[in-house]
Amino acid sequence: MSVALIDYGAGNLHSVHNALKAAGAEGLTITADPDLVAGADRIVLPGVGAFAACAAGLRAIPGMTEALDRRVRREGAPFLGVCVGMQLMADTGEERGVHAGLGWIPGTVRALPPSPGVRVPHMGWNDVVPTADHPLIEPGEAYFLHSFAFEGKHVLATTEHGARITAAIGRDNMAGVQFHPEKSQRYGIALLERFLKWRP
């Protein structure tokens, strides 16, 4: 089984790679080659930083968004987005303007709402509370680090940080998590193990 971990200059790449290896991934490749992505059995899109910069970095790789769209949306390869990689699944992000995402999940990524006594960025361990049955998402504690959150459809789990915010989204063969599995110890490795076995 081949697993493509996409390298588009968006950080946390090697820690996600190590976590996937710990979860038992074989045939794991860090790649910026659209042809490898187009032939992968599973695809992981990591991401740390600003939505606009990550979206621009992904689109700067010739043929990458087309390869993703074909392999994931048309051919049904299992896909996992992590942190900003999850946010990029949305229609748009509103960080320093409005920027187009991949448009896979209807919704918008917006700044976390201000709340007395609540710090932004949201950083640390929080409960993941499933809102729908899904083979990847189980209740537990995960590590979060973000200032923006997804608002829209196909929410699979939420967490609390001054308000209820999205912790995971997904539909069909696509899933995304706002938290960092690679920093979430056993909970995160178990999620990646489930992803590697997932047959949507």
Side-chain angles (χ1 to χ4, degrees):
M1 177 180 67
S2 60
V3 181
L5 177 58
I6 299 177
D7 179 3
Y8 63 112
N12 76 331
L13 192 66
H14 293 288
S15 55
V16 174
H17 175 271
N18 292 339
L20 283 163
K21 292 290 285 186
E26 298 177 357
L28 176 60
T29 304
I30 295 174
T31 183
D33 184 344
D35 291 335
L36 287 178
V37 171
D41 295 316
R42 294 171 192 276
I43 298 168
V44 179
L45 183 67
V48 170
F51 184 102
C54 289
L58 193 63
R59 290 190 169 99
I61 303 171
M64 182 59 80
T65 56
E66 293 83 0
L68 277 169
D69 196 68
R70 180 171 68 253
R71 187 70 185 117
V72 176
R73 296 187 75 185
R74 285 189 273 171
E75 298 175 1
F79 172 92
L80 179 66
V82 174
C83 195
V84 180
M86 181 209 88
Q87 295 178 0
L88 290 175
M89 297 166 70
D91 293 320
T92 55
E94 295 183 351
E95 188 170 1
R96 298 177 190 150
V98 178
H99 307 277
L102 293 169
W104 292 357
I105 303 284
T108 299
V109 176
R110 295 189 169 99
L112 291 172
S115 181
V118 175
R119 291 187 176 183
V120 176
H122 173 208
M123 179 171 62
W125 291 84
N126 268 75
D127 289 333
V128 176
V129 181
T131 57
D133 289 331
H134 193 277
L136 296 190
I137 307 301
E138 293 187 356
E141 271 194 311
Y143 187 86
F144 291 79
L145 177 55
H146 64 116
S147 300
F148 287 72
F150 174 89
E151 298 177 8
K153 297 183 178 181
H154 304 291
V155 173
L156 300 178
T158 61
T159 193
E160 289 285 333
H161 189 68
R164 192 168 71 163
I165 58 176
T166 299
I169 62 175
R171 65 181 179 91
D172 306 324
N173 57 304
M174 301 174 283
V177 293
Q178 181 61 69
F179 53 87
H180 288 271
E182 76 279 12
K183 295 181 180 179
S184 298
Q185 301 178 7
R186 184 60 203 156
Y187 179 82
I189 298 299
L191 181 143
L192 296 176
E193 289 172 348
R194 292 191 294 274
F195 172 70
L196 293 171
K197 297 173 182 175
W198 188 29
R199 306 286 182 190

